[in-house]
Amino acid sequence: MKKEIRLRFAPSPTGKLHIGGVRTFLFNYLYAKHYNGKLFLRIEDTDIERNIKDFYKEIEHLNKLNLKWDNFFEDNTIYTQSKNLKLYQKIALDLIDKGLAYKCFCTKQELEDSRNLQAKNGIKSPKYNEKCRNFSIEDQEKFSKKSSFTIRIKREKNLDIKFFDLNFSEITVNTNDLDDFVIIKENGHPTYNFACVIDDFLMGITHVFRGQEHIANTPKQIIIQKFLKYPEISYCHFSVIVDKYGKKLSKRNKETKQFLSDYLNEGYLPEAIINFLALLGWFPLQKDSEVFVLDELIKAFDGKNISKSPSFFDDTKLLFFNFSHLQKLNDEEYYNYLKTFSKKFSLLNQEDGGKIAKYYKNELQIAKELDQKLEWLEESNPFLPENIQFLKDNFHIAKLIYEYVLEKDAFSYDELINFLSKEKKILKNKNLFFTIRLLITKTTKGPELKFIFFFFSLDKIKKRIINNFRTFKNDH
Ligand code: GLU
């Protein structure tokens, strides 16, 4: 029987869920689902000083994308590394017993002095000077009693560590380019590399998919894996996400929203976010359309065609995907979407809302655009100076409209236009249409006139024209 494919998404709970992290989650998810495998969630919370309290809320945002991870534990609790602290320590001590790790008693000051010295001598990436590497067991015992210590891996020297990355192909690093890195910190907590390897093993992980910044960690993790006789894992690293200036997307970049919650709260559909992120560093071969639903993504995402070059975070493209996925909503879903995400829309009654939703469906990329487009609904808008001038210039038309409306009990849009153009010989051009529009809405922006007539009741149209004409005449 073929081994089950298992992946994990392993965020550190040190801040809000970054959009880059969500892409990592998605790639893991798509690959796991493509191969009928599992995707587990693991919280890497061993860096106690940096943990934030609300991280679970951030994780809940992932649920809003409707992408479910698999439960590792039967009781559905989330896998957290902090529960394994004792185990990491025990495994580290076992490595010491086997001569594969050692205690390091160097103080922070000593380490810093050594680094500075190396830097002074032109060494670009200073390494640990291995002072404690060859201490005898007795030396170790002696020091242990007095001072605190870290535990370092005792790597084999001059050994090529090779691994095959699904995206970057074969990568080789010689252990002489690494140092005896720390696996247990002074506070007794494991380093990321150490805990990661142990948990990947405990969870039966077969594939590690993560950002390119972790390529440098991989040889270290393989050294630990080999020492612990754990099975090999397949790796796939994907390229960084950059902004329009080509800079890595980071929290310092204020122009681009960074967090999943920001996008969800603003009215980006989960389907659009998923579609957009999936194509951020992956290009499916069938490319006649870029709009994918989740099932199509799962079907296509086989781990090939992941991009090596940086992926450009193009928010106009995200808007395009939002528009495309909004088109797929039925009337009720679209109505509810606007109700949730457009303030002005949420104030409308159901009938008006229904008309507006239908009319604007082909125009909106995102709900908030509607708030600007609905200005024509408000009665209290003042006339803008340029519109005042326009109405002055076309006052004779305005007057004809006013008089017609005053006189008629009922009329339609077509009847009004016919009256003005045929009986009163007014040309059917901007002057005519803008005047009618201004008298009803006081603004030149808005939907087609015909729709305005369809939207408002005749009474309301009459009332608005009469009131607006009178106010204008009195004021100007
Ligand atoms: N906690 C690490 C991070 O958030 C996980 C890296 C990994 O997937 O190994 O970057």
Side-chain angles (χ1 to χ4, degrees):
M1 214 178 76
K2 249 185 132 188
K3 207 171 158 198
E4 179 178 68
I5 298 237
R6 286 184 170 205
L7 295 97
R8 81 304 192 271
F9 174 57
S12 307
T14 50
K16 285 166 89 177
L17 199 57
H18 193 261
I19 202 82
V22 184
R23 182 195 54 170
T24 300
F25 175 79
L26 180 65
F27 279 18
N28 275 282
Y29 177 90
L30 295 176
Y31 192 82
K33 294 293 156 195
H34 181 88
Y35 290 105
N36 287 321
K38 294 252 156 54
L39 166 63
F40 299 125
L41 173 69
R42 174 171 87 220
I43 308 288
E44 303 212 322
D45 59 346
T46 57
D47 198 350
I48 32 171
E49 280 117 47
R50 295 183 59 218
N51 288 347
I52 60 160
K53 268 199 239 108
D54 285 349
F55 193 69
Y56 288 91
K57 270 203 204 125
E58 293 299 310
I59 288 295
E60 275 160 25
H61 289 131
L62 278 180
N63 290 331
K64 292 195 190 143
L65 292 183
N66 305 319
L67 305 173
K68 293 257 172 298
W69 57 83
D70 297 289
N71 291 317
F72 183 75
F73 296 115
E74 265 169 21
D75 65 359
N76 298 348
T77 47
I78 295 178
Y79 195 111
T80 44
Q81 289 190 319
S82 52
K83 292 198 183 129
N84 284 346
L85 287 180
K86 290 221 166 73
L87 181 69
Y88 305 128
Q89 284 160 2
K90 184 184 167 305
I91 293 175
L93 293 176
D94 284 351
L95 283 177
I96 295 182
D97 285 346
K98 293 196 175 101
L100 299 172
Y102 59 92
K103 289 181 184 170
C104 169
F105 304 97
C106 296
T107 61
K108 284 204 172 81
Q109 191 57 53
E110 281 176 299
L111 293 173
E112 199 185 317
D113 291 346
S114 154
R115 265 197 306 272
N116 289 342
L117 188 67
Q118 293 178 60
K120 222 166 139 192
N121 293 332
I123 295 172
K124 281 213 181 79
S125 39
K127 298 187 181 62
Y128 173 55
N129 65 11
E130 300 180 7
K131 181 178 160 206
C132 304
R133 181 175 163 112
N134 294 316
F135 275 179
S136 63
I137 300 283
E138 294 80 56
D139 284 343
Q140 293 216 14
E141 294 288 299
K142 199 170 76 201
F143 273 109
S144 285
K145 286 195 190 101
K146 285 199 242 151
S147 51
S148 56
F149 57 87
T150 61
I151 299 181
R152 288 180 183 271
I153 209 81
K154 194 175 198 172
R155 78 199 191 289
E156 200 175 320
K157 299 274 179 77
N158 197 18
L159 178 74
D160 275 343
I161 305 284
K162 280 195 181 68
F163 65 97
F164 187 82
D165 186 280
L166 245 57
N167 190 21
F168 289 92
S169 306
E170 193 168 276
I171 297 177
T172 306
V173 176
N174 189 281
T175 50
N176 283 0
D177 293 326
L178 305 173
D179 65 359
D180 284 353
F181 53 91
V182 174
I183 54 174
I184 297 284
K185 295 185 264 188
E186 233 175 49
N187 64 4
H189 288 203
T191 55
Y192 152 66
N193 280 318
F194 192 54
C196 175
V197 172
I198 293 169
D199 290 306
D200 282 344
F201 169 71
L202 294 176
M203 299 172 96
I205 299 304
T206 58
H207 291 70
V208 164
F209 275 43
R210 59 189 172 195
Q212 193 177 353
E213 66 276 16
H214 287 294
I215 287 188
N217 288 318
T218 309
K220 297 183 188 171
Q221 294 180 8
I222 292 175
I223 292 175
I224 301 169
Q225 247 166 43
K226 288 205 155 88
F227 279 179
L228 292 172
K229 300 199 165 45
Y230 290 165
E232 281 178 16
I233 288 180
S234 300
Y235 294 93
C236 179
H237 292 89
F238 19 87
S239 58
V240 289
I241 304 175
V242 294
D243 63 14
K244 61 176 174 224
Y245 309 106
K247 281 222 179 88
K248 186 176 173 203
L249 210 63
S250 79
K251 292 173 191 168
R252 260 165 283 144
N253 176 324
K254 295 275 176 270
E255 270 176 60
T256 316
K257 284 182 281 299
Q258 307 277 314
F259 305 111
L260 178 59
S261 47
D262 294 340
Y263 287 96
L264 289 168
N265 293 340
E266 252 187 43
Y268 286 91
L269 291 178
E271 294 82 353
I273 298 175
I274 290 172
N275 195 160
F276 173 72
L277 290 180
L279 299 188
L280 211 54
W282 170 65
F283 44 96
L285 283 184
Q286 253 116 22
K287 272 196 96 178
D288 33 333
S289 158
E290 290 194 307
V291 180
F292 289 91
V293 294
L294 187 60
D295 282 346
E296 293 166 329
L297 291 172
I298 291 173
K299 207 160 158 220
F301 197 94
D302 56 4
K304 297 194 188 90
N305 306 315
I306 293 175
S307 169
K308 288 188 191 54
S309 32
S311 331
F312 167 42
F313 193 96
D314 179 359
D315 19 23
T316 56
K317 194 128 187 221
L318 177 54
L319 277 172
F320 159 75
F321 284 125
N322 210 49
F323 173 79
S324 308
H325 286 276
L326 281 173
Q327 298 306 304
K328 294 178 193 277
L329 300 185
N330 66 29
D331 287 353
E332 195 188 336
E333 290 164 338
Y334 193 68
Y335 177 92
N336 289 335
Y337 166 76
L338 293 181
K339 197 111 198 144
T340 314
F341 293 107
S342 160
K343 276 196 203 90
K344 282 196 186 153
F345 185 86
S346 67
L347 302 174
L348 299 175
N349 65 36
Q350 200 169 353
E351 193 192 337
D352 289 352
K355 288 181 191 169
I356 294 284
K358 269 213 181 87
Y359 183 80
Y360 282 101
K361 190 159 179 194
N362 291 327
E363 277 189 33
L364 301 179
Q365 301 185 95
I366 188 160
K368 63 180 174 181
E369 288 171 353
L370 191 57
D371 287 327
Q372 285 149 21
K373 286 182 190 275
L374 291 186
E375 204 191 324
W376 60 276
L377 282 179
E378 281 156 36
E379 264 185 287
S380 53
N381 291 333
F383 283 115
L384 293 176
E386 66 265 29
N387 294 334
I388 294 171
Q389 189 54 47
F390 183 92
L391 274 183
K392 279 185 179 165
D393 296 344
N394 293 283
F395 191 74
H396 62 296
I397 305 180
K399 192 156 170 277
L400 284 174
I401 299 167
Y402 167 72
E403 285 165 0
Y404 177 86
V405 167
L406 210 55
E407 192 182 296
K408 289 270 170 189
D409 281 339
F411 62 91
S412 67
Y413 168 76
D414 288 332
E415 283 164 353
L416 174 67
I417 300 292
N418 272 341
F419 164 75
L420 293 165
S421 62
K422 296 222 172 94
E423 283 186 38
K424 300 291 171 188
K425 305 275 176 274
I426 309 269
L427 290 179
K428 274 199 207 175
N429 62 13
K430 184 181 158 203
N431 291 356
L432 169 62
F433 296 115
F434 265 32
T435 309
I436 301 175
R437 184 184 284 280
L438 280 172
L439 285 182
I440 304 174
T441 66
K442 289 174 147 178
T443 160
T444 52
K445 296 191 189 93
E448 291 159 35
L449 255 183
K450 261 201 162 145
F451 177 76
I452 294 179
F453 272 78
F454 161 73
F455 181 80
F456 289 130
S457 64
L458 186 62
D459 260 6
K460 199 157 207 172
I461 297 267
K462 284 177 74 168
K463 220 194 254 158
R464 278 187 167 223
I465 292 179
I466 293 167
N467 287 346
N468 289 340
F469 179 82
R470 285 181 181 161
T471 320
F472 179 79
K473 201 169 155 243
N474 286 342
D475 295 352
H476 304 286

